[in-house]
Amino acid sequence: MYSVVNFNINGYHYKFPVIYGTCYDKAINISKLRESTGFITFDPGFKNTGMTKSSISFIDGEKGELLYRGYPIEQIIKKCSFIETSYLILNGELPDTAQLKSFSERIKKFNHLHKEMNQILDHIPNFYHPMGILSSLTYILDAFIDCLQEEDMYIHLLAKLPMLAALTYRKKVGGPPTHPDHHLDYISNLLKMFFSVPNQSYEHNPIIADALNKLLILHADHEQNCSTTTVRLLGSAHAGLFSSISAGMTALWGRLHGGANQAVIEMLEDILKSGGNIKKWIEKAKNKKDPFRLMGFGHRIYKNFDPRAKIAKQVAENVIQELGISDPILELAKNLEENALRDSYFIEKKLYPNIDFYSGIIYQAIGIPKDMFTVMFALGRLPGWMAHWKEMKLNRDPIGRPRQIYIGYKKRNIKK
Ligand code: SDX
């Protein structure tokens, strides 16, 4: 293990310290680089740049491993609920029985919205994308919540975001707003707020509840991804929690990020509609002149299987079998994965299915419409976003302000 690295620039020697993480990830600490050498680094997309130290989640992209506060995702998915996982991600340890009971009760206590939220929703156009609606409502939520304790802000958001998501869904399908049912657990309450019909009794389906619980856990945190970095960046300027989370949602909405789950299903439907010729579409994805990419494939960090995709594939198969659905999209997805993983282009570029490749198939099977998929991703990622915002404040991270290499005009005078 090195403690320093030596740079030799134009005959001058510089030493920079090396930082090691607990899982042996390592970094050259260049925080004094410009001051000592006059150079900055250049790293579009921050592919090689660590922006902070964090203890929330860890990804080993080469091995295809994901840890939440040290616990492998495969164990969490088997042994924990989404609410236990949220507690773990926010507080660093799994809750004991008393802590879990109090956490769940505090969430239920904040399970209400100011009446003006519904009035605001009425003025948002029906045709607006649900992610735009959710992000706007989250932003405005700030106006109605006065928190004495910072911890209460996190509980408010955990309690209220499912309500905003359900309101968004029911606006889309034209249903009346529903109210939370405090007799139900978090996931069952969420599903009831989505799907209950006023004049009919609501049938709880444990298969669907279990699938959604697993999906939200799979999305709960993922290091410094684009939307989490957005949340941390806004927080570093001392923007409020709600506006930072709202901005994170907007980043997540992008098709290359959380919007990919909707794009995957649209892609699979297009492949089916065009006759299901998988080889043709794989060639399209490889053709540099064609902007088409295999949505749900590839990842900045995973150069092996995304462990979440493996679990999501299993959940998709179980849900479809248990619900007795015959879904040609799942069969097509499995075929496409098989063919792509045999293709030298995908093998050489280490492109594997990511979480978004199978998650949409599960959402669709449990009745969530395509343009609501990223809303569900946001519900899952909420604990991670909040934990990173909290950690950024505890770390007292400096305001995020990257440098640039300027390639515009040199100084010149206005001639007039
Ligand atoms: C998420 O960061 C996270 O953790 C995100 C996330 C989370 O939980 O927060 O995991 C959630 O966003 C998952 C990713 C969802 N997006 C998609 O599925 C969209 C399709 N995938 C790609 O757009 C792409 O793979 C990214 C955006 C995911 C990653 O992009 P990178 O790391 O910038 O890689 P790149 O674009 O530089 O690609 C490297 C090479 C390129 O070829 P060359 O220029 O080297 O010849 O691989 C090719 C790319 O053209 N490539 C693909 C491809 N993905 C990369 N070619 C075809 N199809 C693809 N999907």
Side-chain angles (χ1 to χ4, degrees):
M1 301 232 306
Y2 321 91
S3 57
V4 290
V5 288
N6 296 294
F7 279 19
N8 178 338
I9 303 176
N10 306 334
Y12 291 95
H13 287 276
Y14 302 92
K15 287 184 187 306
F16 292 98
V18 174
I19 310 172
Y20 288 93
T22 39
C23 295
Y24 306 109
D25 40 337
K26 51 187 177 294
I28 301 167
N29 182 341
I30 55 161
S31 41
K32 299 270 184 266
L33 178 74
R34 189 172 185 278
E35 184 182 313
S36 340
T37 70
F39 283 84
I40 62 167
T41 57
F42 184 65
D43 186 23
F46 312 123
K47 294 190 176 186
N48 305 281
T49 297
M51 67 177 256
T52 190
K53 293 177 185 172
S54 180
S55 54
I56 302 168
S57 58
F58 174 72
I59 302 170
D60 184 325
E62 282 65 38
K63 289 189 201 148
E65 284 178 358
L66 169 60
L67 309 178
Y68 289 168
R69 300 285 188 181
Y71 295 114
I73 186 75
E74 295 81 2
Q75 292 183 28
I76 292 182
I77 208 86
K78 283 199 190 93
K79 300 183 176 180
C80 302
S81 69
F82 174 64
I83 283 302
E84 284 175 293
T85 307
S86 299
Y87 186 100
L88 168 69
I89 286 178
L90 266 171
N91 300 300
E93 296 297 342
L94 282 167
D96 59 29
T97 314
Q99 288 164 330
L100 182 60
K101 185 168 178 292
S102 148
F103 190 60
S104 304
E105 281 165 4
R106 287 172 67 210
I107 289 172
K108 290 184 178 176
K109 195 178 113 206
F110 289 145
N111 230 189
H112 52 80
L113 290 173
H114 193 285
K115 67 178 179 5
E116 286 183 33
M117 288 300 286
N118 279 302
Q119 292 159 7
I120 290 159
L121 184 64
D122 289 343
H123 293 285
I124 298 179
N126 272 347
F127 52 80
Y128 195 27
H129 191 286
M131 276 306 281
I133 297 175
L134 186 74
S135 165
S136 309
L137 292 177
T138 304
Y139 204 91
I140 294 165
L141 204 50
D142 194 18
F144 298 106
I145 293 174
D146 269 331
C147 282
L148 298 175
Q149 310 280 338
E150 178 178 304
E151 280 307 305
D152 282 348
M153 286 197 301
Y154 306 127
I155 305 290
H156 269 292
L157 263 174
L158 274 171
K160 293 176 162 60
L161 207 60
M163 300 180 75
L164 298 182
L167 276 176
T168 302
Y169 169 70
R170 297 179 78 91
K171 177 179 179 72
K172 179 186 152 52
V173 297
T178 47
H179 301 289
D181 180 342
H182 288 167
H183 301 98
L184 298 175
D185 65 44
Y186 192 84
I187 297 292
S188 308
N189 178 41
L190 194 161
L191 287 165
K192 184 172 181 189
M193 288 194 291
F194 264 71
F195 298 122
S196 62
V197 178
N199 56 351
Q200 291 163 23
S201 62
Y202 175 72
E203 285 300 306
H204 171 68
N205 183 325
I207 299 167
I208 290 180
D210 178 60
L212 185 56
N213 181 61
K214 288 187 166 83
L215 271 174
L216 296 189
I217 289 173
L218 289 177
H219 288 87
D221 193 51
H222 215 236
E223 289 192 357
Q224 307 300 324
N225 59 82
C226 180
S227 53
T228 298
T229 300
T230 303
V231 172
R232 287 188 81 123
L233 205 54
L234 268 79
S236 73
H238 292 189
L241 174 69
F242 294 83
S243 38
S244 303
I245 298 289
S246 170
M249 287 175 182
T250 308
L252 186 73
W253 189 3
R255 275 169 60 85
L256 291 187
H257 189 13
N261 50 23
Q262 176 178 346
V264 166
I265 295 294
E266 289 164 349
M267 171 187 75
L268 293 170
E269 287 170 347
D270 287 348
I271 295 174
L272 264 189
K273 265 186 273 179
S274 67
N277 178 346
I278 287 175
K279 292 212 179 314
K280 182 190 94 179
W281 287 83
I282 286 180
E283 289 313 309
K284 247 174 92 66
K286 293 157 60 178
N287 177 357
K288 289 297 161 211
K289 295 193 188 73
D290 190 325
F292 173 75
R293 283 197 160 177
L294 215 50
M295 299 313 279
F297 257 75
H299 199 275
R300 175 63 58 79
I301 309 291
Y302 290 119
K303 300 309 169 194
N304 192 328
F305 262 92
D306 177 340
R308 305 169 300 172
K310 272 190 200 167
I311 296 168
K313 180 178 179 180
Q314 194 53 59
V315 173
E317 287 172 335
N318 297 347
V319 164
I320 281 171
Q321 191 196 351
E322 288 163 357
L323 292 176
I325 307 169
S326 73
D327 184 355
I329 290 275
L330 175 61
E331 287 321 306
L332 174 67
K334 293 195 306 189
N335 269 332
L336 183 56
E337 175 189 349
E338 226 173 275
N339 279 269
L341 293 182
R342 278 203 301 263
D343 186 288
S344 57
Y345 173 92
F346 289 85
I347 294 167
E348 278 148 35
K349 293 183 187 300
K350 298 184 178 170
L351 302 175
Y352 290 86
N354 58 56
I355 178 73
D356 294 302
F357 192 65
Y358 285 105
S359 57
I361 292 170
I362 305 165
Y363 290 133
Q364 199 146 270
I366 63 180
I368 306 281
K370 274 186 303 244
D371 61 1
M372 285 289 295
F373 289 177
T374 311
V375 166
M376 305 314 285
F377 192 146
L379 287 176
R381 186 52 53 89
L382 178 64
W385 284 333
M386 296 195 293
H388 280 274
W389 194 84
K390 187 176 168 183
E391 183 180 72
M392 171 280 307
K393 287 185 71 175
L394 289 173
N395 284 357
R396 302 169 71 83
D397 282 1
I399 184 167
R401 199 266 183 236
R403 292 261 183 177
Q404 64 168 21
I405 290 294
Y406 175 67
I407 53 171
Y409 284 107
K410 286 188 177 168
K411 190 158 67 173
R412 55 178 176 158
N413 297 314
I414 297 174
K415 294 184 186 69
K416 71 172 188 177

